[in-house]
Amino acid sequence: MTKSRLTALRNLLAVALLAGVLLPMTGCKSVKRLFAHFHHRKAKSKPNTTDYADNIQSVVGSPQLAMLRWPSYADDQPTVQKFYDDRDTELAWTRDGKPTAQTTRLIQLFGDAAKKGLVPEDYDASRWGARLQKLDEIRKKNDDSDAAQQTVAEFDVAMTITTMRYLQDLHVGRVNPEALNFDIDQPGKRAAFDVATLMNDDLVDANDVAAVAEGVEPQSPMYKATEQELTKYQMLAMMQGATPAQPLPPLPEGVKPIAAGGTYAAVPALIARLQFEGDAASGQGGPDPAQGYSKDVSDAVKHYQARHGLTEDGKLGQATIDSLNVPMSARVQEFDDSLERWRWLPDNYVQPRVFVNLPEFIVRTYEPDHSLAFKMRVVDGEAKGNHDTPMFVRLMRYVVFRPYWNLPPSIVKKEIMPHISRSGLGYLSSHDYEVYKNDGSVVTDYTAADLAHSRYSIRQRPGPQNSLGLVKFLFPNEYDVYMHSTPELNLFTLDRRDRSHGCVRLQHADQMALWVLHGDQADPNAESGWDQDKIDDAMNGENNNKTIGLKTPLPVVINYLTANADEDGSVHFFNDIYGYDKELEAALAKGRPYERAPVKVNPKLTPGETE
């Protein structure tokens, strides 16, 4: 035995002997404090009293705290225990019977949780006033009874639990996305977040409590801009609630969308509604209601349409009227849903290089310094038939030029066989399909029955008519979703572009390929790197299925934001095309403990059915 270990053992025996002597005279609390003296305190915050240690341990020993709005904290109980162990079971949130300045500020933040897209009552916002009053009564009466000591301890633990909930909700979100069938490792992010140490070292004595809380939020300019716009729309919702206006009337049946110079009976109300969100100027210089549906009104409608994913023609159609009649409270909810999804993202994906927003039908790419490289239109999975493109994060690792499209059996059965039944086997060759064995060799002698019973497989040959186009971008994932070009360029003229089997189709895939490969310099045979000519050669040459492995994989986020603050400072809203917002809101409505259990079966997309 080493000398240091022998010394430690002697000290422990001495403490044990002393405890045996003191226990009859001083009781358990004194002995606990004596042992605490020899415990290594890890917290960096200033020491506080251990007079309530037994009460705190008693409270923390139960996974329920009845005084809380959501009493069960079983998932966080080990973290709460760690928080107090690291501070030798000292009080954290009161000193000399008074709440600390940090406690007061945290309670204010709990009350303002809606500004973060959270629910104040999740953090007992309406209950802290009575609790503070009770503490004040105990202090003024100098009450040292067992009941008073228990009240002080329960207050402290309640503050600890609530603060943990608040910080965790800001950092990782409330619902586990795996419980909604999204392949995002939120539990891993939650486990890596040492909230107990953060609170002990940085928050208990913080000079700026709000700054500590903001520091755990996603550090993304788009997230922060969205959070700022939420506050604006909360004010609009309050104003709308205080003086509700009548909905804009629908167009009469059979009436075509109204263009500039046309007639709409509710033009004054329409102008007021457009001014409400800032799509039309107010006061002098704004549209004149006396001029009817004028060009100024049409321009304001066009501005509104551009922010809401509608056809930007300035014509007042029913879809635009329906959108204008959506209450601001619903827009606030869209902000809340979008902020929740931002918080799910792993820390290394909060500022990705490639960011797809599914309901917007847009992909953004970012340079290494996080500046915007470009945006382009995309096509998502069709919102029916289990083709919804899911939300997930992955690393882009490969670019494949002139790819084959290997048809999954489900698509062969549902889409190819009906064509063969009508047109015969000649349908395959006329659409550049070929039949092959498991070893990849082409089969020329086969029957429709062979294909119907999956004795052979079908693939589409590379070329301009291939459904994957001339290049695809792989970020391996369980859904078999990737980005690729497409021969169906007409789809990019649509406002609503959910037309794929689940993959993300790119409007300008050659631009994406040049950006990815020029920045990566991945091809060892390209001495001077990739340029547009080499991209064109790879896409239009004869080298099929040419795969380029990226030296530096790119973080890709497939996200779902129905409310989004754009880079130009404008706010955009999009339809909940897949119902993902409704699913999230239903999970949140159940309250704590929020959905944490992952779902193993994924109904959103049939793996392998992508294109």
Side-chain angles (χ1 to χ4, degrees):
M1 182 178 295
T2 63
K3 184 178 179 180
S4 60
R5 292 184 66 184
L6 184 60
T7 301
L9 181 58
R10 286 173 177 168
N11 289 340
L12 184 60
L13 289 171
V15 172
L17 280 171
L18 186 58
V21 173
L22 292 177
L23 182 58
M25 297 184 292
T26 60
C28 293
K29 285 188 179 180
S30 297
V31 174
K32 181 178 282 291
R33 287 195 294 272
L34 182 65
F35 273 103
H37 178 73
F38 290 92
H39 183 271
H40 178 62
R41 185 180 190 274
K42 296 180 180 179
K44 295 180 181 179
S45 56
K46 293 183 293 185
N48 204 329
T49 181
T50 58
D51 287 348
Y52 301 86
D54 290 330
N55 302 90
I56 287 175
Q57 287 289 16
S58 175
V59 177
V60 174
S62 170
Q64 301 265 341
L65 183 54
M67 66 188 294
L68 294 174
R69 165 69 177 87
W70 302 110
S72 174
Y73 69 102
D75 288 347
D76 293 324
Q77 188 182 15
T79 312
V80 174
Q81 184 68 62
K82 180 183 187 302
F83 173 79
Y84 283 107
D85 285 348
D86 288 353
R87 58 187 300 103
D88 289 347
T89 326
E90 300 168 351
L91 290 179
W93 309 107
T94 61
R95 287 186 181 274
D96 301 321
K98 296 181 179 179
T100 65
Q102 293 77 15
T103 301
T104 302
R105 184 68 181 107
L106 279 168
I107 291 172
Q108 292 172 345
L109 292 180
F110 300 157
D112 290 338
K115 295 179 180 179
K116 301 288 186 180
L118 302 173
V119 180
E121 284 309 301
D122 270 3
Y123 317 102
D124 287 28
S126 65
R127 301 183 178 208
W128 291 107
R131 294 169 186 168
L132 292 172
Q133 184 177 354
K134 184 65 175 177
L135 280 184
D136 192 49
E137 292 172 358
I138 291 172
R139 182 184 62 83
K140 288 179 178 179
K141 293 178 180 179
N142 198 23
D143 187 353
D144 195 35
S145 66
D146 290 344
Q149 291 181 14
Q150 186 70 8
T151 297
V152 172
E154 287 182 354
F155 177 90
D156 208 82
V157 176
M159 271 299 300
T160 298
I161 295 169
T162 305
T163 302
M164 282 185 179
R165 286 173 169 175
Y166 181 72
L167 295 176
Q168 288 171 332
D169 290 352
L170 285 178
H171 186 63
V172 300
R174 293 160 287 177
V175 173
N176 178 3
E178 291 180 341
L180 300 176
N181 298 303
F182 296 127
D183 188 16
I184 300 175
D185 184 19
Q186 188 241 38
K189 182 180 180 182
R190 181 179 293 274
F193 182 42
D194 189 354
V195 66
T197 299
L198 174 74
M199 290 166 58
N200 265 325
D201 294 353
D202 300 326
L203 188 62
V204 168
D205 295 329
N207 292 323
D208 191 340
V209 169
V212 175
E214 290 170 5
V216 308
E217 295 183 78
Q219 300 303 300
S220 160
M222 194 181 295
Y223 169 88
K224 293 180 179 180
T226 302
E227 192 175 68
Q228 291 173 357
E229 292 296 336
L230 166 62
T231 304
K232 170 186 171 182
Y233 273 81
Q234 287 171 334
M235 291 296 298
L236 292 177
M238 290 177 60
M239 293 167 59
Q240 196 175 63
T243 56
Q246 291 295 318
L248 296 174
L251 294 180
E253 187 174 354
V255 172
K256 294 181 178 180
I258 301 167
T263 302
Y264 182 60
V267 166
L270 171 62
I271 292 174
R273 175 64 184 84
L274 293 167
Q275 291 172 337
F276 189 63
E277 280 187 80
D279 294 290
S282 300
Q284 192 173 13
D288 182 0
Q291 295 181 3
Y293 197 81
S294 63
K295 183 179 182 302
D296 287 343
V297 177
S298 177
D299 288 344
V301 167
K302 186 175 182 179
H303 187 273
Y304 177 91
Q305 290 168 334
R307 294 193 308 108
H308 291 77
L310 300 164
T311 302
E312 299 174 40
D313 57 9
K315 296 180 181 180
L316 187 65
Q318 192 57 49
T320 300
I321 292 174
D322 291 342
S323 179
L324 286 161
N325 283 333
V326 172
M328 293 296 102
S329 58
R331 298 305 187 196
V332 168
Q333 183 63 61
E334 291 173 349
F335 275 111
D336 293 352
D337 295 343
S338 296
L339 291 172
E340 172 75 6
R341 292 194 179 93
W342 268 109
R343 294 168 185 140
W344 291 345
L345 299 181
D347 291 338
N348 55 332
Y349 285 91
V350 168
Q351 295 200 69
R353 298 294 303 281
V354 180
F355 187 95
V356 177
N357 187 19
L358 295 171
E360 187 180 7
F361 304 107
I362 289 290
V363 60
R364 293 171 171 81
T365 60
Y366 296 92
E367 303 293 1
D369 64 357
H370 307 305
S371 62
L372 181 68
F374 59 84
K375 296 193 295 186
M376 74 170 64
R377 292 187 168 201
V378 301
V379 171
D380 303 344
E382 193 172 12
K384 63 179 181 180
N386 283 351
H387 295 313
D388 301 357
T389 305
M391 176 183 173
F392 65 98
V393 299
R394 279 295 185 275
L395 290 174
M396 182 188 294
R397 297 184 180 276
Y398 308 100
V399 178
V400 182
F401 290 104
R402 298 183 62 82
Y404 284 93
W405 179 36
N406 300 310
L407 279 67
S410 55
I411 289 183
V412 171
K413 179 179 179 180
K414 290 188 291 187
E415 301 184 24
I416 301 299
M417 293 310 299
H419 285 294
I420 291 176
S421 296
R422 290 191 297 267
S423 307
L425 292 173
Y427 171 84
L428 296 179
S429 59
S430 67
H431 288 78
D432 282 336
Y433 292 115
E434 63 184 18
V435 179
Y436 66 100
K437 298 179 182 179
N438 290 337
D439 62 4
S441 59
V442 176
V443 179
T444 57
D445 186 15
Y446 56 86
T447 66
D450 290 333
L451 303 178
H453 291 89
S454 300
R455 297 189 184 103
Y456 302 119
S457 301
I458 300 176
R459 65 190 178 196
Q460 193 173 31
R461 301 182 189 92
Q465 298 308 310
N466 186 285
S467 294
L468 303 186
L470 295 171
V471 61
K472 67 179 180 179
F473 306 83
L474 300 182
F475 29 96
N477 57 86
E478 68 174 62
Y479 309 106
D480 199 23
V481 165
Y482 40 90
M483 297 191 304
H484 63 84
S485 55
T486 177
E488 297 182 280
L489 297 179
N490 60 300
L491 296 179
F492 296 106
T493 64
L494 304 175
D495 296 310
R496 175 166 172 163
R497 298 186 291 278
D498 57 319
R499 294 298 187 94
S500 80
H501 282 97
C503 279
V504 177
R505 303 182 187 179
L506 302 171
Q507 183 177 21
H508 303 294
D510 57 338
Q511 180 184 7
M512 179 69 77
L514 177 61
W515 179 77
V516 169
L517 293 176
H518 182 75
D520 190 70
Q521 301 294 303
D523 186 354
N525 298 317
E527 295 180 2
S528 60
W530 287 87
D531 57 21
Q532 188 62 59
D533 288 340
K534 291 179 180 178
I535 296 294
D536 291 343
D537 288 344
M539 293 176 68
N540 298 298
E542 297 181 356
N543 192 354
N544 293 334
N545 232 43
K546 179 179 181 180
T547 301
I548 310 297
L550 301 185
K551 291 181 180 179
T552 305
L554 301 178
V556 176
V557 170
I558 310 293
N559 213 328
Y560 193 87
L561 309 175
T562 50
N564 186 41
D566 203 356
E567 289 81 7
D568 63 4
S570 60
V571 182
H572 294 253
F573 299 97
F574 310 102
N575 291 330
D576 183 17
I577 55 172
Y578 298 146
Y580 291 172
D581 274 2
K582 291 181 180 179
E583 293 178 7
L584 174 58
E585 291 159 20
L588 290 170
K590 296 177 182 178
R592 290 188 186 276
Y594 289 114
E595 298 282 358
R596 297 269 180 97
V599 177
K600 299 300 182 182
V601 179
N602 175 36
K604 300 185 187 304
L605 186 68
T606 303
E609 279 204 4
T610 53
E611 167 268 319

